[in-house]
Amino acid sequence: MNICRTSAFLAVALTAGAIAQEKPKIDATLDVDISSKYVWRGVNFVNDWVLQPSVAFSSSGFKFSVWGNMELTGWNSGVYPKSPKNRFTEFDTSLEYRGAHGKGDWWLGYVDYQFPGTGAARFQEWYGGVSLDQSWGAPALTVYKGANANVGTYLTLGVTRSVKTGLTGKMSTCDLCALIGYGDKKGNNFLYGSNKAGFTDLNLSATTSFEIGKGWTFTPSVNYSTLLEKSLRAGLPRRSNIWLNFGFTRNFAF
């Protein structure tokens, strides 16, 4: 699930006794997603519609972002101390640095998870990853390491392919993505209630995107997720899920 460098692009040049300063460039992104379910790492946290806005600021390889989950119904009313309808029940704040290597990108980051009004404990993770953008499927590996003693380690390996849909116009191409997760014993016990290390979840998605107005991009997708082991979340329903997501994105520069 990225803070801007506060002194980014401060250039000081001494030429004939003069000091020149370059103004830092900051890119900002506003995302607003509407999803028919909230599924994370194969776990169905909200089996109904949610609103998930986020804002990110990037400069000189650094990115700071804040993501929120608002539950639009009272589906979790029996789980939380009070009804979650039309309230934010999660905030994720992250700081990331991203760089490039010969065939792709690499990244390092830290994310803080908070769950106001739910009774769930706050926790944090370090993460790092690498992608091979010029290889088939642009494979990407990300490893998450819990900063808290009981969170454990979780990693994902994903591939993405862009295909032609056979349609004309805005939806002529579609990105197909497959992502598989793996957790160690501690991580699987924390999230899935299992003391066994192994592969955890498989996620598949089909996504397209196109401009819908000046500066706005619309990104609809259909998603599928399933848990891969019977011991994970044993006895609980909704082990496999299909949901729709409608994303709206606007980019700014300062």
Side-chain angles (χ1 to χ4, degrees):
M1 273 157 254
N2 316 78
I3 215 164
C4 298
R5 246 165 99 180
T6 56
S7 60
F9 296 107
L10 180 61
V12 179
L14 297 176
T15 305
I19 299 177
Q21 180 173 312
E22 181 180 341
K23 184 179 179 181
K25 179 179 181 295
I26 298 176
D27 295 316
T29 301
L30 172 65
D31 283 307
V32 181
D33 286 0
I34 302 173
S35 294
S36 60
K37 294 182 182 182
Y38 174 24
V39 181
W40 185 67
R41 297 183 181 176
V43 179
N44 182 325
F45 286 101
V46 186
N47 197 46
D48 213 330
W49 289 92
V50 294
L51 177 69
Q52 297 175 331
S54 67
V55 61
F57 300 93
S58 304
S59 180
S60 191
F62 287 86
K63 183 171 75 171
F64 172 75
S65 64
V66 179
W67 177 94
N69 177 68
M70 174 185 281
E71 302 190 23
L72 300 179
T73 70
W75 187 82
N76 273 318
S77 294
V79 179
Y80 303 155
K82 57 182 179 180
S83 174
K85 186 176 181 179
N86 297 329
R87 288 196 308 107
F88 281 98
T89 55
E90 182 177 347
F91 287 106
D92 300 346
T93 306
S94 60
L95 171 64
E96 179 181 288
Y97 181 79
R98 181 176 290 262
H101 60 83
K103 295 185 178 181
D105 295 326
W106 60 270
W107 53 91
L108 293 171
Y110 182 82
V111 58
D112 174 69
Y113 303 91
Q114 300 182 61
F115 309 94
T118 68
R122 180 178 181 176
F123 70 96
Q124 297 81 32
E125 288 181 317
W126 295 96
Y127 66 91
V130 63
S131 66
L132 300 175
D133 299 338
Q134 298 178 24
S135 300
W136 186 94
L141 174 69
T142 304
V143 179
Y144 300 85
K145 176 66 177 178
N148 310 66
N150 63 330
V151 176
T153 301
Y154 176 84
L155 63 86
T156 62
L157 177 63
V159 293
T160 303
R161 290 286 290 175
S162 182
V163 300
K164 294 187 179 298
T165 63
L167 302 175
T168 58
K170 296 180 177 180
M171 301 179 66
S172 60
T173 61
C174 178
D175 290 333
L176 303 178
C177 178
L179 188 77
I180 191 168
Y182 180 93
D184 66 359
K185 290 182 180 181
K186 186 182 293 185
N188 285 353
N189 184 59
F190 173 75
L191 188 58
Y192 305 103
S194 171
N195 288 313
K196 178 181 175 183
F199 290 100
T200 56
D201 57 307
L202 173 67
N203 298 270
L204 306 174
S205 65
T207 305
T208 189
S209 64
F210 49 87
E211 292 187 6
I212 57 172
K214 187 177 181 180
W216 284 95
T217 300
F218 177 51
T219 307
S221 68
V222 58
N223 308 269
Y224 169 79
S225 177
T226 187
L227 296 176
L228 298 175
E229 281 283 342
K230 292 182 179 180
S231 62
L232 305 175
R233 311 283 287 185
L236 294 180
R238 295 176 295 278
R239 299 175 57 81
S240 296
N241 294 274
I242 298 176
W243 70 98
L244 300 174
N245 187 86
F246 304 99
F248 302 85
T249 303
R250 178 74 185 268
N251 295 315
F252 306 87
F254 303 94

